[in-house]
Amino acid sequence: MTRSVTDIIAALGTGVHVDGAWRDAASGATFEVVNPATGESIATVADGGAEDAAAAIEAAGRTQPEWAAVPARDRAEILRRAYELILDRADELALLMTTEMGKPLAEAKGEVTYGAEFFRWFSEEACRIRGDARRSPDGRTRLMVTHEPVGPCILITPWNFPLAMATRKIGPAVAAGCTMVFKPANLTPLTSLYVVDLLREAGLPDGVLNVVCTTEPGSVVEPWIDSGIARKLSFTGSTPVGRMLLEQCARGVLRTSMELGGNAPFVVCEDADMDTAVAAAMAAKMRNMGEACTSANRILVHRSVLDEFGRRLTEKMSALTVGDGTRDGTDVGPLVEEKAVAKVVDLVDDAVGRGAEVLCGGSRTEGPGYFYPPTVLTGVAADSDLMSTEIFGPVAALIPFDSDDEAVALANDTEFGLVSYVMTENLDRAMTMSERLQAGMVGVNTGIVSNPAAPFGGIKQSGLGREGGLTGIEEFVETKLVAIPVR
């Protein structure tokens, strides 16, 4: 039987987690976690600082040699047990996630399943870290290539997918034999902290995963970077913060992987199947209330099908029920905080002020909580702010185009390059546009590209490195060459 969210939180470790133990922040400071559907506090979490950060990274450094020596099979079994525990507690995790982040329970349960899969995937990859042995071309040297854990890792996750972003980073680090210091987002730390407790239950040794939540990230992350102990940083968040972290990591030549901002184009060609295109647009736009880096930010529609697509999309968006994500029948939950609503309001008002027409929604929902209704805009001007800004809200902006060349030019007219979407029934067009679009990922006739078995990441200002797939674990290992002369 699923416990109430009050009982779940009461049993949760909400302090600083260092060397296998929960404790108060050194300063005694705390911060409140708020339910975005009501604006009310639901939990108090330790607000860590520099002293806590030092203790966490020192524990990771001490534990690294011993953890790296643990057999790959043993590390794999810990991840497998954690995967099973997550599925066993899926209802509790989903309820906790919905309460602190806002997404409807159905979506939260989907994230639990998706996030758990990273632990299963990397439990399987732990024993498959490959090497190489061969002779040099001149035959005089034996070349043996091995892979070793990169060392203590700094993991920083965002608020919008508090379980999946944690497992996507922790999974490969555990599989590769790396210790970790982990900073979950202070807006939604509780789900991530639940995962930490499950990993302890699954047998993760003390000191492998050390956690500091904080409202002052610089007081924690920068000391980690400059500690001389950390050897890698994995960050998911905004591009400006990513640039700053890259500059800091350069001081110690830390290995980095970054999944940063997006401005995804969603291209609907004139030959697209309308049922498929509208369904994919709903998935790409409304997943997580639009609060996703993969969200369709600019929906580019061939002029010949603009009216039909706009009408059908508006019908779907208008039919969605907005409300508390824990209530039956809710399709769209609240945005994560008041600032998020204010940003969406400003972007919509700016677009309307420049001539956009509102087909549905378009104004803030009255009452408590951080709600904004599903909104469709058409006739969006090219100089509108939402054309160059990641919306992170339930707003679909429709922009017409007249040719494939124009669509590609519009799609690529951004500093970002995380994901693009193409709707067409023509295979040659799908392949050609996929090749021309400047993005790390392309969804063809689908609005969902994320899969633990596939590499996730972008190009340009959307980041570097990849998470998941066969390449995901490579971000957490170093390559070593051993050269032996042939005698």
Side-chain angles (χ1 to χ4, degrees), residues 120-272:
R120 179 162 69 167
W121 175 263
F122 285 110
S123 75
E124 296 163 344
E125 289 300 292
C127 300
R128 298 174 184 163
I129 299 174
R130 297 166 180 83
D132 185 29
R134 54 191 168 84
R135 288 199 179 190
S136 61
D138 62 10
R140 297 177 182 177
T141 307
R142 295 183 179 91
L143 305 176
M144 184 172 67
V145 178
T146 60
H147 299 285
E148 299 177 350
V150 69
C153 299
I154 302 167
L155 310 180
I156 305 172
T157 55
W159 52 261
N160 54 342
F161 292 94
L163 187 144
M165 297 302 97
T167 58
R168 194 158 78 181
K169 296 181 188 299
I170 293 170
V174 169
C178 299
T179 59
M180 296 151 279
V181 288
F182 172 35
K183 189 200 79 62
N186 66 288
L187 287 174
T188 59
L190 302 178
T191 306
S192 297
L193 294 176
Y194 194 124
V195 172
V196 174
D197 275 339
L198 289 187
L199 281 162
R200 296 172 69 211
E201 188 176 341
L204 192 70
D206 295 348
V208 175
L209 177 60
N210 306 277
V211 186
V212 181
C213 298
T214 182
T215 58
E216 297 290 340
S219 70
V220 170
V221 176
E222 191 164 8
W224 283 346
I225 291 172
D226 291 336
S227 65
I229 298 172
R231 294 309 316 148
K232 174 183 171 60
L233 181 144
S234 176
F235 170 73
T236 298
S238 72
T239 296
V241 174
R243 291 193 196 106
M244 180 185 67
L245 292 173
L246 282 170
E247 291 176 359
Q248 294 174 2
C249 287
R251 299 196 292 255
V253 196
L254 269 66
R255 188 166 181 172
T256 59
S257 51
M258 301 265 171
E259 194 263 284
L260 306 177
N263 187 8
F266 185 99
V267 181
V268 182
C269 299
E270 71 269 26
D271 64 347

Side-chain angles (χ1 to χ4, degrees), residues 40-53:
E40 298 174 352
S41 174
I42 55 171
T44 301
V45 174
D47 194 352
E51 187 174 342
D52 305 298

Side-chain angles (χ1 to χ4, degrees), residues 278-292:
V278 171
M282 291 295 292
K285 178 69 262 182
M286 293 306 296
R287 184 186 186 195
N288 227 46
M289 293 79 72
E291 295 175 313

